[in-house]
Amino acid sequence: MKKMMLAVATAVTLLAVGGVSLGTPVTAQAKTKTTLKAVPQRYRHTWYHYEHGKMDTLTFSAKRISGLTYYDGQAAKYVAHIHHHKLSAKKFKKHYSWSMVTNKTAHQAQWINVRGWNQIMGDGDYYKVMTKTYHGKKISVLSQAGGAGIWTSAHYYRTKQLAKQRGPRYFSNEVYYPMNV
């Protein structure tokens, strides 16, 4: 169920819902006047998450996010092309594969929030990169979160081997979806 909700939320966010914004600008940090022009460098890798015998992937480049996720045994591919705009803009043309990225600070960490270009409802997907220690070595971990509480739903790793070893394990000091705890 968790994977299905995660996949549906990701698909809705990255494919966008279409339509024209109804005059409500996208909210972000008060000092931010535009969305990001590119995905920050520390995210730009292919990341892997292993759960229920399936390997999910997320690939970030400067202007694109693509992924493959499984739910109910079915694979779902998606791609989002990153574009930027002023946050004061109120109307947008329909671009179903476009997304926008903003910075967000929550739970004492810096996240990026990815939303569909024409998305007028929902919180989008949140991602953060953190460094954790595993078997005495420092590793990069990409956390994926969603919802109004920015609840963590999955962790991704830089290698398939590490993703298989770690699986869907939790980290302390993370805020997870209430049903996951």
Side-chain angles (χ1 to χ4, degrees), residues 24-30 32 87 102-104 113 115 123 126:
T24 305
V26 177
T27 59
Q29 304 279 37
T32 303
L87 289 175
T102 57
N103 284 314
K104 173 76 175 172
N113 178 223
R115 295 170 52 99
D123 296 300
Y126 293 90

Side-chain angles (χ1 to χ4, degrees), residues 130-181:
M130 58 187 169
T131 302
K132 294 289 185 179
T133 302
Y134 180 64
H135 290 304
K137 293 183 180 179
K138 294 195 181 278
I139 60 169
S140 292
V141 179
L142 174 79
S143 295
Q144 182 178 33
I150 309 179
W151 298 296
T152 300
S153 56
H155 298 293
Y156 288 74
Y157 303 90
R158 295 278 301 276
T159 67
K160 291 178 183 179
Q161 178 185 7
L162 193 53
K164 265 191 157 178
Q165 289 172 357
R166 295 291 300 160
R169 291 199 178 105
Y170 295 124
F171 291 107
S172 60
N173 300 323
E174 288 289 314
V175 179
Y176 293 94
Y177 277 109
M179 67 182 196
N180 291 352
V181 186

Side-chain angles (χ1 to χ4, degrees), residues 6 10 14 43-49 55-61 64-69 78 114 125-127 142-145 154-158:
L6 175 63
T10 300
L14 295 178
Y43 294 88
R44 296 183 201 169
H45 304 284
T46 295
W47 300 86
Y48 304 93
H49 172 78
M55 186 71 68
D56 294 351
T57 62
L58 268 173
T59 302
F60 291 83
S61 68
R64 179 179 152 142
I65 301 171
S66 60
L68 170 69
T69 191
Y78 51 90
V114 180
D125 285 328
Y126 293 90
Y127 300 96
L142 174 79
S143 295
Q144 182 178 33
H155 298 293
Y156 288 74
Y157 303 90
R158 295 278 301 276

Side-chain angles (χ1 to χ4, degrees), residues 15-32:
L15 295 177
V17 294
V20 175
S21 176
L22 299 177
T24 305
V26 177
T27 59
Q29 304 279 37
K31 63 183 175 184
T32 303

